[in-house]
Amino acid sequence: MMNSPQEWPEPIVRVQSLSDSGVSSIPERYIKPPTERPSFCHVIGSERSVVPEAAAEAEADVDANIPVIDMSGLESEDSLVRAETMRVVSESCREWGFFQVVNHGVSPQLMDRALQIWREFFHLPAQDKQLYANSPKTYEGYGSRLGIQKGAILDWSDYYFLHYLPLSLKDQNKWPHLPSNCREVIDEYGKEVVKLCERLLRVLSLNLGLKEEFLQNAFGGKEIGACMRVNFYPKCPQPELTLGLSSHSDPGGMTLLLPEHQVTGLQVRKANSWITVKPAPHAFIVNIGDQIQVLSNAMYKSVEHRVVVNSGKERISMAFFYNPKSDIPIEPAKELVTPDRPPLYLPMTFDQYRLFIRTRGPQGKSQVDSLKSPR
């Protein structure tokens, strides 16, 4: 794998500092091209929020939402309930690439504590946060941009990225020491979310007609990679001109997102519309990543999504990425390849694959599409 660059191409500006300064307009480097920005805005009380593009795409259906799945159904004594729960998971992976899970086994109190810890971190004095400033070499730490293209149009967000697995990359010295119990909460949260990811992979494997441990083994068994990005979206004076996170599909295996359910922001592409996700309380939003799309030979879909921002409220979300071991070539499962459905993708290790987004930043689905086999 080629080496990642050591330094950012331009001086880093914290988006939170821009927001806190009270600017009435956003700098030009955050203004998206007209085809990428939300083009309508409407007023709700004193808040100005955005709705999806209307010129090039249909407006999002305000009544639509990604499926919400009660995972207790997987343990039901009623075989019909178990079968129906499995069916809804399968349909969600094939049709949406996204779903929410409730009654998933992770403590609601732990979820709340984790969000609160990170909210407190982002409101620490700037000099305390700057101790953890990151670089494009690993992205680990406190950051404000993705991609290293000089002059790129940036997203209206700051973040904190950290490695959780493998243990060789788990360096708690790079985890914040403030708030005081931050590291302990992060570690406990990570352990519980890893268990949930393992459980979900078993369900996804069975729904593909594969052995229960297939996807876990394809990821490297117990030697998987896991990391977390905590996203902080400050208030924005012109939310109709920018995005908190540009459109992309997740490059890894599977993502579990914990958002604040009081403030919406995540939008998922469905056909020609952007659907604003309405988070259920204490639910995880699960989305299929590019690596599972490849392994499933596109039976499961990784779907483009983006984040809009708000002039009246800031927002925090925690994305936990459950990924293949970095040096294992990922390619379509042989069991899912037939004369009528040949392998759609060329093999590539996850290490090679994720360098794309580290170099260029979010770019829709262009990377996974570039892996398609010549036909």
Side-chain angles (χ1 to χ4, degrees), residues 199-368:
R199 186 181 176 198
L200 286 166
L201 279 194
R202 291 195 290 271
V203 174
L204 268 56
S205 294
L206 290 172
N207 274 337
L208 285 168
L210 302 169
K211 292 181 179 179
E212 187 176 63
E213 298 298 326
F214 179 88
L215 288 175
Q216 185 70 48
N217 290 336
F219 275 34
K222 292 296 182 181
E223 298 183 49
I224 56 94
C227 50
M228 182 188 301
R229 189 177 70 231
V230 184
N231 307 296
F232 182 75
Y233 304 104
K235 297 175 187 177
C236 179
Q238 295 178 297
E240 68 275 12
L241 298 181
T242 191
L243 290 168
L245 188 57
S246 295
S247 175
H248 66 289
S249 62
D250 286 355
M254 180 172 61
T255 304
L256 266 62
L257 181 75
L258 175 59
E260 294 180 299
H261 72 269
Q262 301 93 337
V263 186
T264 60
L266 175 66
Q267 294 185 332
V268 174
R269 186 189 286 274
K270 179 69 168 172
N272 290 323
S273 295
W274 286 103
I275 304 298
T276 298
V277 175
K278 307 171 191 67
H282 295 122
F284 284 105
I285 298 171
V286 182
N287 69 278
I288 301 300
D290 293 345
Q291 306 303 305
I292 287 183
Q293 176 168 322
V294 171
L295 283 163
S296 71
N297 209 22
M299 293 177 68
Y300 291 167
K301 305 291 192 298
S302 65
V303 171
E304 282 186 74
H305 50 286
R306 67 183 187 183
V307 176
V308 297
V309 289
N310 191 295
S311 66
K313 293 181 179 179
E314 65 187 33
R315 180 173 172 270
I316 287 178
S317 67
M318 297 170 55
F320 193 89
F321 305 105
Y322 195 80
N323 298 327
K325 189 172 181 285
S326 62
D327 59 357
I328 296 178
I330 301 296
E331 60 185 319
K334 293 180 173 55
E335 295 87 339
L336 302 179
V337 172
T338 67
D340 294 333
R341 192 178 182 85
L344 298 178
Y345 304 99
L346 299 170
M348 180 181 284
T349 69
F350 183 52
D351 235 354
Q352 294 168 321
Y353 189 88
R354 64 184 165 188
L355 185 60
F356 173 85
I357 198 166
R358 286 189 173 181
T359 302
R360 298 177 58 190
Q363 297 280 339
K365 290 202 65 171
S366 57
Q367 172 69 345
V368 71

Side-chain angles (χ1 to χ4, degrees), residues 42-174:
H42 62 283
V43 176
I44 304 176
S46 62
E47 299 173 15
R48 184 168 51 159
S49 57
V50 295
V51 298
E53 302 158 15
E57 299 180 281
E59 184 174 343
D61 180 355
V62 295
D63 295 322
N65 197 16
I66 63 175
V68 180
I69 299 171
D70 185 340
M71 287 191 67
S72 66
L74 297 171
E75 311 299 330
S76 173
E77 295 180 0
D78 188 330
S79 60
L80 294 178
V81 172
R82 292 198 306 272
E84 175 62 12
T85 305
M86 293 285 286
R87 186 197 67 78
V88 176
V89 173
S90 179
E91 183 178 273
S92 301
C93 293
R94 294 167 189 264
E95 301 298 326
W96 282 89
F98 271 82
F99 55 97
Q100 298 188 64
V101 290
V102 295
N103 294 322
H104 40 63
V106 180
S107 159
Q109 292 77 20
L110 177 59
M111 298 166 78
D112 290 343
R113 286 209 313 274
L115 281 172
Q116 181 59 32
I117 282 288
W118 283 110
R119 187 179 296 108
E120 291 175 14
F121 171 82
F122 281 103
H123 284 286
L124 289 172
Q127 63 268 23
D128 291 340
K129 293 180 289 189
Q130 196 60 25
L131 293 173
Y132 299 95
N134 71 350
S135 77
K137 184 177 181 181
T138 68
Y139 276 71
E140 191 160 23
Y142 175 48
S144 295
R145 68 176 292 166
L146 297 169
I148 54 160
Q149 290 183 331
K150 190 171 183 179
I153 299 174
L154 304 180
D155 292 332
W156 191 264
S157 59
D158 297 327
Y159 64 88
Y160 202 105
F161 180 86
L162 54 86
H163 292 291
Y164 191 78
L165 291 173
L167 291 176
S168 59
L169 292 179
K170 187 178 181 180
D171 181 0
Q172 291 196 339
N173 291 323
K174 294 184 178 179

